[in-house]
């Protein structure tokens, strides 16, 4: 157990050390002056804070993060950002799956809808944010942007899963005269599910980053992106680093939660067809 914990902690400690050394390199003059004068308080101050305007030290960012966590603003802001962006990602997932089913089932739907989805995938995120800001209320911009970024990824993954469905299984389903629902649940869903899960993992990170970027540009009330923008405007670099760490932590937490959910769904579906065929 100790070895396992060390293997996980060692990379984090390494990069924290690199961060601390970079902060010291930026603030080397203050550190050198304090060291030469024998001012050990000044040395500790330089180690603790670094050059806060350009690159604050890890301890200074940790103090800022703890101060934010002690208040209600961080939790309220994080909850609202999660609600907006995850809601948009969920909408994009549902719409992307529906479009993939339509384009896979109908050649006409494929001709009509595939170019639009490919355009959405090709347009830069910043352009979409500016355009959407003209059309919807600013609080809805992160929701819309997250949905638009997730949709093409899910569409591509589900479409590929449908295309890769085993033809022999489809022949067998036709031979046994399976209905559409039974063919869908016993043949298509198990085939598509791994592609869908992979697409969800990719799309979630993309939707989260695009949603935060949209918050930075449209400045909705009580949003992580708004806090990042204000920290940058007022040159509060330590707060900027702290809010960025919040974004990273929430991204990891979302990936873990969605990964576990998809893993449970995969295991449940893995037992479904066998049980059904046994019945």
């Amino acid at each position: 157990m100790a070895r396992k914990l060390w293997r996980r902690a060692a990379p984090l400690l390494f990069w924290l050390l690199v961060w601390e050394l970079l902060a010291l390199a930026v603030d080397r003059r203050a550190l050198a002056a304090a060291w030469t004068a024998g001012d050990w308080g000044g040395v500790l101050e330089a180690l603790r804070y670094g050059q806060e305007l350009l690159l604050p030290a890890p301890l200074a960012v940790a103090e800022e993060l703890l101060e934010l966590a002690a208040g209600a603003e961080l939790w309220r802001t994080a909850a609202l950002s999660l609600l907006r962006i995850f809601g948009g990602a969920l909408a994009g997932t549902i719409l992307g799956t529906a479009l993939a089913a339509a384009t896979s089932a109908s050649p006409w739907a494929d001709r009509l809808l595939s170019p639009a989805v490919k355009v959405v995938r090709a347009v830069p995120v910043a352009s979409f944010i500016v355009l959407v800001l003209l059309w919807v209320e600013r609080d809805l911009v992160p929701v819309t942007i997250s949905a638009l970024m997730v949709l093409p990824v899910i569409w591509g993954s589900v479409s590929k899963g449908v295309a890769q469905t085993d033809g022999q299984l489809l022949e067998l389903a036709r031979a046994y005269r399976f209905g559409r629902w039974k063919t869908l649940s016993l043949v298509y869903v198990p085939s598509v599910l791994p592609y869908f899960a992979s697409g969800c993992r990719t799309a979630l990170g993309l939707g989260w980053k695009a949603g935060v970027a949209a918050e930075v540009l449209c400045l909705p009330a009580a949003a992580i992106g708004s806090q990042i923008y204000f920290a940058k405007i007022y040159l509060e670099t330590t707060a900027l680093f702290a809010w960025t760490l919040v974004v990273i932590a929430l991204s990891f937490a979302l990936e873990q939660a969605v990964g576990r959910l998809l893993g449970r769904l995969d295991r449940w579906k893995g037992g479904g067809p066998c049980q059904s065929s046994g019945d």
Side-chain angles (χ1 to χ4, degrees):
M1 180 64 70
R3 185 176 298 177
K4 185 177 180 180
L5 290 174
W6 170 247
R7 282 200 301 266
R8 292 186 176 183
L12 177 61
L13 294 174
F14 171 78
W15 288 111
L16 284 175
L17 178 61
V18 170
W19 181 2
E20 178 67 37
L21 291 175
L22 288 173
L24 289 176
V26 170
D27 197 33
R28 60 187 182 278
R29 292 182 180 178
L31 179 63
W35 182 274
T36 303
D39 181 9
W40 302 113
V43 171
L44 292 176
E45 196 77 6
L47 289 172
R48 184 178 180 184
Y49 294 107
Q51 177 51 263
E52 288 196 16
L53 181 61
L54 299 178
L55 183 62
L59 281 176
V61 176
E63 288 180 0
E64 180 72 21
L65 193 57
L66 289 174
E67 184 178 345
L68 289 173
E73 182 183 11
L74 183 144
W75 305 105
R76 178 172 173 268
T77 301
L80 289 174
S81 289
L82 279 173
L83 184 63
R84 292 189 191 99
I85 298 173
F86 189 75
L90 182 60
T93 300
I94 295 171
L95 186 56
T97 303
L99 288 177
T103 55
S104 299
S106 169
W108 279 106
D110 185 42
R111 293 189 188 100
L112 289 173
L113 299 175
S114 293
V117 177
K118 291 177 182 178
V119 167
V120 171
R121 184 165 52 191
V123 173
V125 179
S127 299
F128 259 134
I129 294 172
V130 174
L131 288 173
V132 172
L133 187 57
L134 297 174
W135 299 332
V136 302
E137 295 181 4
R138 63 178 184 174
D139 286 348
L140 296 178
V141 174
V143 180
T144 309
I145 293 300
S146 180
L148 287 173
M149 294 302 104
V150 166
L151 187 152
V153 179
I154 298 299
W155 172 80
S157 298
V158 174
S159 297
K160 186 176 181 180
V162 172
Q164 295 295 325
T165 302
D166 193 341
Q168 293 182 351
L169 291 178
L170 294 174
E171 257 328 296
L172 189 63
R174 284 191 289 268
Y176 281 96
R177 297 182 180 179
F178 282 6
R180 291 183 178 179
W181 176 251
K182 198 169 185 180
T183 302
L184 176 67
S185 62
L186 297 184
V187 180
Y188 280 111
V189 171
S191 174
V192 170
L193 193 57
Y195 296 91
F196 175 76
S198 176
C200 283
R201 292 186 179 95
T202 303
L204 181 65
L206 182 62
W208 174 248
K209 288 186 289 187
V212 174
E215 290 182 341
V216 172
L217 291 181
C218 68
L219 302 178
I224 293 177
S226 301
Q227 296 294 336
I228 290 175
Y229 176 82
F230 293 136
K232 170 251 189 184
I233 287 295
Y234 296 117
L235 300 178
E236 296 176 350
T237 312
T238 306
L240 176 61
F241 271 72
W243 282 108
T244 303
L245 287 179
V246 171
V247 173
I248 295 172
L250 289 176
S251 177
F252 285 153
L254 277 176
E255 287 181 4
Q256 290 292 326
V258 172
R260 290 183 180 181
L261 179 62
L262 292 172
R264 290 183 180 181
L265 180 62
D266 194 15
R267 288 193 296 271
W268 171 77
K269 199 62 195 175
C274 296
Q275 185 178 357
S276 299
S277 60
D279 292 341

